[in-house]
Each structure stands twice: as structure tokens, then as C-alpha cells.
Amino acid sequence: GAGVSQSPSNKVTEKGKDVELRCDPISGHTALYWYRQRLGQGLEFLIYFQGNSAPDKSGLPSDRFSAERTGESVSTLTIQRTQQEDSAVYLCASSLVTQSNQPQHFGDGTRLSIL
Amino acid sequence: AQSVTQLGSHVSVSEGALVLLRCNYSSSVPPYLFWYVQYPNQGLQLLLKYTSAATLVKGINGFEAEFKKSETSFHLTKPSAHMSDAAEYFCAVSVFSGSARQLTFGSGTQLTVLP
């Protein structure tokens, strides 16, 4: 079956441009997460969606970052006026329910490079 | 709040030798614990999880981990390292509280397997 799909796999853009990253979760997974992974570092939580509930945005580093998800389908993470410190791999994960014993299934990430 | 500490950001072992990757957690309530592996340019793949059943958990690729409450540890082991085990490994803790997002990752351990 299909796993979590992220696009694009790589994105290179100039400082100051806006970028949009896409995540297709596993069908039927109600929970969706975005993480940022800087080079040589662990995962940094950004935002979490659960069904039609209000998202948990507590991890977003600045107001340049936003994300949307329609129902239990595709999510997009948007970074406005990109800065060099935004360069990282952005990982998306989904899980069946929000129960804590359910593992998260990860996509391969989008590698974002800001010139 | 929960936290995870992975001791040693880099571990090197010889092929055929024992692999031991350390993880200690902090949680005010009984945790669920996970180990993920990340190969280059890929997302995270679940290795194994502890969800309050057996304290010794067996995962994929010959890995296992033992939950030790008295030591607040969940170390990952494999009796004999293989070259294909070279990757980054992340320990994560999830607390069953019924609330949204409770998964916290450690900073990762890069495993190198020497021929």
C-alpha cells in the first residue's frame, strides 16, 4: 500500500521567496504531523492536525510558517519570505489515530535549500 | 513534560560486533517508547515500539530493546552489526494522556559500521 508521500523531494529557492511543501498522508490516517530536521540534528515538531479539530501550531517557529489541511487528506506547509536558516529537511508523518501508542509513519521528506 | 536523551551522537562498531544505542527518557506518567531508523535521504522507519506489554521488545532487522523502568531506559541492541545497519537512529517517547501530540524525539545517534 502507499505510504506517506511528500513533494517536491528537493527544492532550491532564493532567499525571500515563498515555498509550498505538500504531504499526502496514508489513507485513513486522521493525524498528520510536520517536522523540521536541520542538518545533523533531531526532529523539531512544527504543527499537528487531527481530523477537523483546530491544529496544534505550537511548534511553528515564526509567523512566516503556516500549514493547512483539508479534512483528513493532503496538507501543505507554506514558508513565506524564506530565510537561509529555513534550509532543512521537512518531514511529514501520519498516524491512524492520536492514541499515543500508534506509531507515526514518515514520508521521505522535502529537502529545502535557501540560497 | 516528557523528554528523551540519547547518549552519544555518534557510535562506531565493527561488523559482527554488538550494537548498543542508549536512550533514557523522562516522563511523569508511564510512557510509550519507540525507536526509529533513518537511512540517508529517507524518512524515518519504525524499528520497534514499547506499549506496556513485554518489557523486551523485538523489532525489525534483528534489533531489540528493553524497557527498564527503574533506570528510565530503553536501550537499543543488536547482537551482530551488519554494514546495512549504518544509519541514524532516533528514540522517541509518547505519553498516554489523551491530549494532542505527545511524541518527543531524541537528537539521534549516527551508527557507523566498520568493515
Side-chain angles (χ1 to χ4, degrees):
Chain A
V4 177
S5 177
Q6 290 187 246
S7 61
S9 55
N10 287 280
K11 178 71 176 179
V12 181
T13 192
E14 294 179 345
K15 176 182 173 181
K17 300 288 188 183
D18 297 351
V19 295
E20 188 173 280
L21 312 180
R22 177 187 170 103
C23 173
D24 280 279
I26 293 173
S27 178
H29 280 195
T30 59
L32 186 146
Y33 310 77
W34 282 99
Y35 296 89
R36 179 171 67 180
Q37 186 178 27
R38 289 189 165 126
L39 184 64
Q41 298 186 22
L43 276 71
E44 177 187 4
F45 167 77
L46 296 177
I47 189 169
Y48 154 85
F49 295 90
Q50 165 53 30
N52 293 316
S53 302
D56 176 356
K57 303 179 181 180
S58 59
L60 294 179
S62 77
D63 59 8
R64 296 187 294 106
F65 287 72
S66 63
E68 293 183 349
R69 186 186 188 195
T70 304
E72 297 179 358
S73 61
V74 171
S75 175
T76 55
L77 175 69
T78 301
I79 308 174
Q80 296 178 308
R81 307 180 302 281
T82 52
Q83 303 295 314
Q84 287 189 332
E85 66 260 26
D86 298 335
S87 296
V89 176
Y90 290 82
L91 290 165
C92 175
S94 69
S95 67
L96 189 59
V97 291
T98 55
Q99 297 303 313
S100 296
N101 64 347
Q102 291 294 324
Q104 297 179 14
H105 299 263
F106 285 80
D108 287 342
T110 293
R111 186 174 302 275
L112 177 64
S113 300
I114 309 300
L115 302 178
Chain B
Q2 66 272 22
S3 66
V4 174
T5 301
Q6 291 184 240
L7 297 176
S9 58
H10 291 83
V11 170
S12 293
V13 300
S14 297
E15 189 173 18
L18 172 70
V19 176
L20 171 61
L21 305 182
R22 299 178 185 274
C23 172
N24 287 87
Y25 69 92
S26 172
S27 174
S28 58
V29 297
Y32 293 132
L33 295 157
F34 304 82
W35 275 100
Y36 284 87
V37 60
Q38 185 178 32
Y39 297 101
N41 300 315
Q42 294 185 25
L44 277 67
Q45 178 183 356
L46 180 69
L47 271 180
L48 49 79
K49 65 177 182 179
Y50 165 76
T51 58
S52 73
T55 56
L56 182 62
V57 181
K58 294 187 182 297
I60 63 172
N61 301 339
F63 284 92
E64 61 182 36
E66 185 172 8
F67 172 70
K68 292 187 177 180
K69 183 179 179 180
S70 61
E71 300 178 6
T72 61
S73 69
F74 190 56
H75 301 331
L76 182 70
T77 61
K78 181 174 180 178
S80 177
H82 192 272
M83 297 297 289
S84 61
D85 295 327
E88 185 146 24
Y89 292 79
F90 292 93
C91 182
V93 61
S94 179
V95 174
F96 181 66
S97 68
S99 62
R101 188 196 64 85
Q102 292 287 335
L103 191 65
T104 302
F105 285 86
S107 57
T109 297
Q110 181 68 46
L111 175 66
T112 299
V113 181
L114 304 171

CSV table of all heavy atoms in Angstrom, one decimal, chain A residues 37 41, chain B residues 6 8-13 19-21 35-45 47 60-61 63 76 78 81-91 107-114:
chain,number,residue,atom,x,y,z
A,37,GLN,N,13.9,19.0,10.2
A,37,GLN,CA,15.2,18.4,10.6
A,37,GLN,C,16.3,19.1,10.0
A,37,GLN,O,16.6,19.0,8.8
A,37,GLN,CB,15.2,16.9,10.2
A,37,GLN,CG,16.4,16.1,10.7
A,37,GLN,CD,16.3,14.7,10.3
A,37,GLN,OE1,15.8,14.3,9.3
A,37,GLN,NE2,17.0,13.9,11.1
A,41,GLN,N,20.8,17.2,13.1
A,41,GLN,CA,20.1,17.4,14.3
A,41,GLN,C,18.8,16.5,14.3
A,41,GLN,O,18.5,15.8,13.3
A,41,GLN,CB,19.6,18.9,14.4
A,41,GLN,CG,20.8,19.9,14.5
A,41,GLN,CD,20.3,21.3,14.8
A,41,GLN,OE1,19.2,21.5,15.2
A,41,GLN,NE2,21.2,22.2,14.4
B,6,GLN,N,19.5,10.8,24.2
B,6,GLN,CA,20.3,9.7,23.5
B,6,GLN,C,21.8,10.0,23.8
B,6,GLN,O,22.3,11.1,23.4
B,6,GLN,CB,20.0,9.7,22.0
B,6,GLN,CG,18.6,9.2,21.7
B,6,GLN,CD,18.3,9.1,20.2
B,6,GLN,OE1,17.5,9.7,19.7
B,6,GLN,NE2,19.1,8.2,19.6
B,8,GLY,N,25.5,9.8,23.2
B,8,GLY,CA,26.4,9.5,22.1
B,8,GLY,C,25.7,9.9,20.8
B,8,GLY,O,24.8,9.2,20.3
B,9,SER,N,26.2,10.9,20.2
B,9,SER,CA,25.6,11.3,18.9
B,9,SER,C,26.2,10.5,17.8
B,9,SER,O,25.6,10.4,16.7
B,9,SER,CB,25.9,12.8,18.6
B,9,SER,OG,27.3,13.1,18.7
B,10,HIS,N,27.4,9.9,18.0
B,10,HIS,CA,28.0,9.0,17.1
B,10,HIS,C,28.5,7.7,17.8
B,10,HIS,O,29.2,7.8,18.8
B,10,HIS,CB,29.2,9.7,16.4
B,10,HIS,CG,28.8,10.8,15.5
B,10,HIS,ND1,28.5,12.1,15.9
B,10,HIS,CD2,28.5,10.9,14.1
B,10,HIS,CE1,28.2,12.9,14.9
B,10,HIS,NE2,28.2,12.1,13.8
B,11,VAL,N,28.2,6.6,17.2
B,11,VAL,CA,28.7,5.3,17.7
B,11,VAL,C,29.2,4.5,16.5
B,11,VAL,O,28.6,4.5,15.4
B,11,VAL,CB,27.5,4.5,18.3
B,11,VAL,CG1,28.0,3.1,18.6
B,11,VAL,CG2,27.0,5.2,19.6
B,12,SER,N,30.4,4.0,16.7
B,12,SER,CA,31.1,3.2,15.7
B,12,SER,C,31.3,1.7,16.2
B,12,SER,O,31.8,1.6,17.4
B,12,SER,CB,32.4,3.7,15.3
B,12,SER,OG,32.2,5.0,14.6
B,13,VAL,N,30.9,0.8,15.4
B,13,VAL,CA,31.2,-0.6,15.8
B,13,VAL,C,31.7,-1.4,14.6
B,13,VAL,O,31.5,-1.0,13.4
B,13,VAL,CB,29.9,-1.3,16.3
B,13,VAL,CG1,29.3,-0.6,17.5
B,13,VAL,CG2,28.9,-1.4,15.2
B,19,VAL,N,25.8,-4.1,18.8
B,19,VAL,CA,25.4,-2.7,18.7
B,19,VAL,C,24.6,-2.4,20.0
B,19,VAL,O,23.7,-3.1,20.4
B,19,VAL,CB,24.4,-2.5,17.5
B,19,VAL,CG1,23.9,-1.1,17.5
B,19,VAL,CG2,25.2,-2.8,16.2
B,20,LEU,N,24.9,-1.2,20.6
B,20,LEU,CA,24.2,-0.7,21.8
B,20,LEU,C,24.0,0.8,21.6
B,20,LEU,O,25.0,1.5,21.6
B,20,LEU,CB,25.0,-1.0,23.1
B,20,LEU,CG,24.4,-0.4,24.3
B,20,LEU,CD1,23.0,-0.8,24.6
B,20,LEU,CD2,25.3,-0.7,25.5
B,21,LEU,N,22.8,1.2,21.5
B,21,LEU,CA,22.5,2.6,21.4
B,21,LEU,C,21.6,3.0,22.6
B,21,LEU,O,20.6,2.3,22.8
B,21,LEU,CB,21.7,2.9,20.1
B,21,LEU,CG,22.4,2.5,18.8
B,21,LEU,CD1,21.6,2.9,17.6
B,21,LEU,CD2,23.8,3.0,18.7
B,35,TRP,N,11.6,3.3,18.8
B,35,TRP,CA,12.9,3.5,18.1
B,35,TRP,C,12.6,3.6,16.6
B,35,TRP,O,11.9,2.7,16.0
B,35,TRP,CB,13.9,2.4,18.3
B,35,TRP,CG,14.7,2.6,19.6
B,35,TRP,CD1,14.5,2.0,20.8
B,35,TRP,CD2,15.9,3.4,19.7
B,35,TRP,NE1,15.5,2.3,21.7
B,35,TRP,CE2,16.3,3.2,21.0
B,35,TRP,CE3,16.6,4.2,18.9
B,35,TRP,CZ2,17.5,3.8,21.5
B,35,TRP,CZ3,17.7,4.8,19.3
B,35,TRP,CH2,18.2,4.7,20.7
B,36,TYR,N,13.2,4.6,16.0
B,36,TYR,CA,13.1,4.8,14.5
B,36,TYR,C,14.5,4.8,13.9
B,36,TYR,O,15.4,5.2,14.6
B,36,TYR,CB,12.4,6.2,14.2
B,36,TYR,CG,10.9,6.2,14.4
B,36,TYR,CD1,10.4,6.5,15.6
B,36,TYR,CD2,10.0,6.0,13.3
B,36,TYR,CE1,9.0,6.6,15.8
B,36,TYR,CE2,8.7,6.1,13.5
B,36,TYR,CZ,8.2,6.4,14.7
B,36,TYR,OH,6.8,6.4,14.9
B,37,VAL,N,14.6,4.4,12.6
B,37,VAL,CA,15.8,4.4,11.9
B,37,VAL,C,15.6,5.3,10.7
B,37,VAL,O,14.6,5.3,10.1
B,37,VAL,CB,16.3,3.0,11.5
B,37,VAL,CG1,15.3,2.3,10.6
B,37,VAL,CG2,17.7,3.1,10.8
B,38,GLN,N,16.7,6.1,10.4
B,38,GLN,CA,16.6,6.9,9.2
B,38,GLN,C,17.9,6.7,8.3
B,38,GLN,O,19.0,6.9,8.8
B,38,GLN,CB,16.6,8.4,9.6
B,38,GLN,CG,16.4,9.4,8.4
B,38,GLN,CD,16.3,10.8,8.9
B,38,GLN,OE1,16.9,11.2,9.9
B,38,GLN,NE2,15.6,11.6,8.1
B,39,TYR,N,17.6,6.2,7.1
B,39,TYR,CA,18.7,6.0,6.2
B,39,TYR,C,18.9,7.3,5.4
B,39,TYR,O,18.0,8.1,5.3
B,39,TYR,CB,18.4,4.8,5.3
B,39,TYR,CG,18.3,3.5,6.0
B,39,TYR,CD1,17.0,2.9,6.3
B,39,TYR,CD2,19.4,2.8,6.4
B,39,TYR,CE1,16.9,1.8,7.0
B,39,TYR,CE2,19.3,1.6,7.1
B,39,TYR,CZ,18.1,1.1,7.4
B,39,TYR,OH,18.0,0.0,8.2
B,40,PRO,N,20.0,7.5,4.8
B,40,PRO,CA,20.3,8.7,4.1
B,40,PRO,C,19.2,9.1,3.1
B,40,PRO,O,18.8,8.2,2.3
B,40,PRO,CB,21.6,8.4,3.4
B,40,PRO,CG,22.3,7.4,4.3
B,40,PRO,CD,21.2,6.6,4.8
B,41,ASN,N,18.8,10.3,3.1
B,41,ASN,CA,17.8,10.9,2.2
B,41,ASN,C,16.5,10.2,2.2
B,41,ASN,O,15.7,10.1,1.3
B,41,ASN,CB,18.4,10.8,0.7
B,41,ASN,CG,19.6,11.6,0.6
B,41,ASN,OD1,19.7,12.7,1.0
B,41,ASN,ND2,20.6,11.0,-0.1
B,42,GLN,N,16.2,9.6,3.4
B,42,GLN,CA,14.9,9.0,3.6
B,42,GLN,C,14.2,9.5,4.8
B,42,GLN,O,14.8,10.1,5.7
B,42,GLN,CB,15.0,7.4,3.6
B,42,GLN,CG,15.5,6.8,2.3
B,42,GLN,CD,15.5,5.3,2.4
B,42,GLN,OE1,14.8,4.7,3.2
B,42,GLN,NE2,16.3,4.6,1.6
B,43,GLY,N,12.9,9.1,5.0
B,43,GLY,CA,12.2,9.5,6.2
B,43,GLY,C,12.5,8.5,7.3
B,43,GLY,O,13.4,7.6,7.1
B,44,LEU,N,11.8,8.6,8.4
B,44,LEU,CA,12.1,7.7,9.5
B,44,LEU,C,11.2,6.4,9.3
B,44,LEU,O,10.1,6.4,8.9
B,44,LEU,CB,11.7,8.4,10.8
B,44,LEU,CG,12.7,9.3,11.4
B,44,LEU,CD1,13.0,10.5,10.6
B,44,LEU,CD2,12.4,9.7,12.8
B,45,GLN,N,11.8,5.3,9.7
B,45,GLN,CA,11.1,4.0,9.6
B,45,GLN,C,11.1,3.4,11.0
B,45,GLN,O,12.1,3.4,11.8
B,45,GLN,CB,11.9,3.1,8.7
B,45,GLN,CG,11.3,1.7,8.6
B,45,GLN,CD,12.2,0.8,7.7
B,45,GLN,OE1,13.2,1.2,7.1
B,45,GLN,NE2,11.8,-0.5,7.6
B,47,LEU,N,11.3,1.0,13.9
B,47,LEU,CA,12.1,-0.2,14.2
B,47,LEU,C,11.3,-1.1,15.2
B,47,LEU,O,11.1,-2.3,15.0
B,47,LEU,CB,13.4,0.1,14.9
B,47,LEU,CG,14.6,0.3,14.0
B,47,LEU,CD1,15.8,0.6,14.9
B,47,LEU,CD2,14.9,-0.9,13.1
B,60,ILE,N,12.3,-5.0,13.8
B,60,ILE,CA,12.8,-5.5,12.5
B,60,ILE,C,14.3,-5.5,12.5
B,60,ILE,O,15.0,-4.9,13.3
B,60,ILE,CB,12.2,-4.6,11.4
B,60,ILE,CG1,12.7,-3.2,11.5
B,60,ILE,CG2,10.7,-4.7,11.4
B,60,ILE,CD1,12.4,-2.3,10.3
B,61,ASN,N,14.8,-6.2,11.5
B,61,ASN,CA,16.3,-6.3,11.2
B,61,ASN,C,17.1,-6.8,12.4
B,61,ASN,O,18.3,-6.5,12.5
B,61,ASN,CB,16.8,-4.9,10.8
B,61,ASN,CG,16.1,-4.3,9.5
B,61,ASN,OD1,15.5,-5.1,8.8
B,61,ASN,ND2,16.1,-3.0,9.4
B,63,PHE,N,16.9,-6.1,15.6
B,63,PHE,CA,17.0,-5.2,16.7
B,63,PHE,C,16.1,-5.5,17.8
B,63,PHE,O,15.0,-6.1,17.5
B,63,PHE,CB,16.8,-3.7,16.3
B,63,PHE,CG,18.0,-3.1,15.5
B,63,PHE,CD1,18.0,-3.2,14.1
B,63,PHE,CD2,19.0,-2.5,16.2
B,63,PHE,CE1,19.1,-2.7,13.5
B,63,PHE,CE2,20.1,-2.0,15.6
B,63,PHE,CZ,20.1,-2.0,14.2
B,76,LEU,N,18.7,0.3,22.7
B,76,LEU,CA,18.5,-0.5,21.5
B,76,LEU,C,19.7,-1.4,21.3
B,76,LEU,O,20.9,-0.9,21.4
B,76,LEU,CB,18.3,0.4,20.3
B,76,LEU,CG,18.1,-0.3,18.9
B,76,LEU,CD1,16.7,-0.9,18.9
B,76,LEU,CD2,18.2,0.7,17.8
B,78,LYS,N,21.6,-4.9,19.1
B,78,LYS,CA,21.6,-5.9,18.1
B,78,LYS,C,22.9,-6.8,18.3
B,78,LYS,O,23.9,-6.2,18.4
B,78,LYS,CB,21.6,-5.3,16.7
B,78,LYS,CG,21.5,-6.3,15.6
B,78,LYS,CD,21.4,-5.7,14.2
B,78,LYS,CE,21.3,-6.7,13.1
B,78,LYS,NZ,21.1,-6.2,11.7
B,81,ALA,N,26.4,-6.6,14.3
B,81,ALA,CA,26.2,-5.5,13.4
B,81,ALA,C,26.4,-5.9,11.9
B,81,ALA,O,27.4,-6.7,11.6
B,81,ALA,CB,27.1,-4.3,13.7
B,82,HIS,N,25.6,-5.3,11.0
B,82,HIS,CA,25.8,-5.6,9.6
B,82,HIS,C,26.1,-4.2,9.0
B,82,HIS,O,25.6,-3.2,9.5
B,82,HIS,CB,24.6,-6.2,9.0
B,82,HIS,CG,24.7,-6.7,7.6
B,82,HIS,ND1,24.5,-6.0,6.5
B,82,HIS,CD2,25.1,-8.0,7.2
B,82,HIS,CE1,24.7,-6.7,5.4
B,82,HIS,NE2,25.1,-7.9,5.8
B,83,MET,N,26.8,-4.2,7.9
B,83,MET,CA,27.1,-3.0,7.2
B,83,MET,C,25.8,-2.2,6.9
B,83,MET,O,25.8,-0.9,6.9
B,83,MET,CB,27.8,-3.2,5.9
B,83,MET,CG,29.2,-3.9,6.1
B,83,MET,SD,30.3,-2.9,7.0
B,83,MET,CE,30.7,-1.6,5.8
B,84,SER,N,24.7,-2.9,6.6
B,84,SER,CA,23.5,-2.2,6.2
B,84,SER,C,22.8,-1.5,7.4
B,84,SER,O,21.8,-0.8,7.2
B,84,SER,CB,22.5,-3.2,5.6
B,84,SER,OG,22.2,-4.2,6.5
B,85,ASP,N,23.3,-1.7,8.6
B,85,ASP,CA,22.8,-1.1,9.8
B,85,ASP,C,23.2,0.4,9.9
B,85,ASP,O,22.7,1.1,10.8
B,85,ASP,CB,23.1,-1.9,11.1
B,85,ASP,CG,22.5,-3.2,11.1
B,85,ASP,OD1,21.4,-3.4,10.6
B,85,ASP,OD2,23.2,-4.2,11.6
B,86,ALA,N,24.2,0.7,9.1
B,86,ALA,CA,24.7,2.1,9.2
B,86,ALA,C,23.6,3.1,8.9
B,86,ALA,O,23.0,3.1,7.8
B,86,ALA,CB,25.9,2.3,8.3
B,87,ALA,N,23.2,3.9,9.8
B,87,ALA,CA,22.1,4.9,9.7
B,87,ALA,C,22.0,5.7,10.9
B,87,ALA,O,22.8,5.6,11.8
B,87,ALA,CB,20.8,4.1,9.5
B,88,GLU,N,21.0,6.6,11.0
B,88,GLU,CA,20.8,7.4,12.2
B,88,GLU,C,19.6,6.8,12.9
B,88,GLU,O,18.6,6.5,12.3
B,88,GLU,CB,20.6,8.8,11.9
B,88,GLU,CG,20.5,9.7,13.1
B,88,GLU,CD,21.0,11.1,12.9
B,88,GLU,OE1,21.1,11.6,11.8
B,88,GLU,OE2,21.4,11.7,13.9
B,89,TYR,N,19.7,6.7,14.2
B,89,TYR,CA,18.6,6.1,15.0
B,89,TYR,C,18.1,7.1,16.0
B,89,TYR,O,18.8,7.8,16.7
B,89,TYR,CB,19.2,4.9,15.8
B,89,TYR,CG,19.6,3.7,14.8
B,89,TYR,CD1,20.8,3.8,14.1
B,89,TYR,CD2,18.7,2.7,14.6
B,89,TYR,CE1,21.1,2.8,13.2
B,89,TYR,CE2,19.1,1.6,13.7
B,89,TYR,CZ,20.2,1.7,13.1
B,89,TYR,OH,20.6,0.7,12.2
B,90,PHE,N,16.8,7.1,16.1
B,90,PHE,CA,16.1,8.1,16.9
B,90,PHE,C,15.2,7.3,17.9
B,90,PHE,O,14.4,6.5,17.6
B,90,PHE,CB,15.2,9.0,16.1
B,90,PHE,CG,15.9,10.0,15.3
B,90,PHE,CD1,16.2,9.7,13.9
B,90,PHE,CD2,16.4,11.2,15.8
B,90,PHE,CE1,16.9,10.6,13.1
B,90,PHE,CE2,17.1,12.1,15.0
B,90,PHE,CZ,17.4,11.8,13.6
B,91,CYS,N,15.3,7.7,19.2
B,91,CYS,CA,14.5,7.2,20.2
B,91,CYS,C,13.4,8.3,20.4
B,91,CYS,O,13.6,9.5,20.3
B,91,CYS,CB,15.3,7.1,21.5
B,91,CYS,SG,14.3,6.4,22.9
B,107,SER,N,17.8,13.4,20.0
B,107,SER,CA,18.5,14.1,19.0
B,107,SER,C,19.2,13.2,18.0
B,107,SER,O,19.8,13.7,17.0
B,107,SER,CB,19.6,15.0,19.6
B,107,SER,OG,20.4,14.3,20.5
B,108,GLY,N,19.1,11.9,18.2
B,108,GLY,CA,19.6,10.9,17.3
B,108,GLY,C,21.0,10.5,17.6
B,108,GLY,O,21.8,11.1,18.2
B,109,THR,N,21.3,9.2,17.1
B,109,THR,CA,22.6,8.6,17.2
B,109,THR,C,23.0,8.1,15.8
B,109,THR,O,22.3,7.3,15.3
B,109,THR,CB,22.7,7.5,18.2
B,109,THR,OG1,22.4,8.0,19.5
B,109,THR,CG2,24.1,6.8,18.2
B,110,GLN,N,24.1,8.6,15.3
B,110,GLN,CA,24.6,8.1,14.0
B,110,GLN,C,25.4,6.8,14.2
B,110,GLN,O,26.4,6.9,14.9
B,110,GLN,CB,25.4,9.2,13.3
B,110,GLN,CG,25.9,8.8,11.9
B,110,GLN,CD,24.8,8.7,10.9
B,110,GLN,OE1,23.9,9.5,10.8
B,110,GLN,NE2,24.8,7.6,10.1
B,111,LEU,N,25.0,5.7,13.6
B,111,LEU,CA,25.7,4.5,13.8
B,111,LEU,C,26.6,4.2,12.5
B,111,LEU,O,26.1,4.2,11.4
B,111,LEU,CB,24.7,3.3,13.9
B,111,LEU,CG,25.4,1.9,14.0
B,111,LEU,CD1,26.3,1.8,15.2
B,111,LEU,CD2,24.3,0.8,14.0
B,112,THR,N,27.9,4.0,12.7
B,112,THR,CA,28.8,3.7,11.7
B,112,THR,C,29.2,2.2,11.9
B,112,THR,O,29.6,1.9,13.0
B,112,THR,CB,30.0,4.6,11.7
B,112,THR,OG1,29.6,6.0,11.5
B,112,THR,CG2,31.0,4.2,10.6
B,113,VAL,N,29.2,1.4,10.9
B,113,VAL,CA,29.7,0.1,10.9
B,113,VAL,C,30.9,-0.1,10.1
B,113,VAL,O,31.0,0.2,8.9
B,113,VAL,CB,28.6,-0.9,10.4
B,113,VAL,CG1,29.1,-2.4,10.6
B,113,VAL,CG2,27.3,-0.7,11.2
B,114,LEU,N,32.0,-0.5,10.8
B,114,LEU,CA,33.3,-0.6,10.2
B,114,LEU,C,33.6,-2.0,9.6
B,114,LEU,O,33.2,-3.0,10.3
B,114,LEU,CB,34.4,-0.2,11.2
B,114,LEU,CG,34.2,1.2,11.8
B,114,LEU,CD1,35.2,1.3,13.0
B,114,LEU,CD2,34.4,2.3,10.8
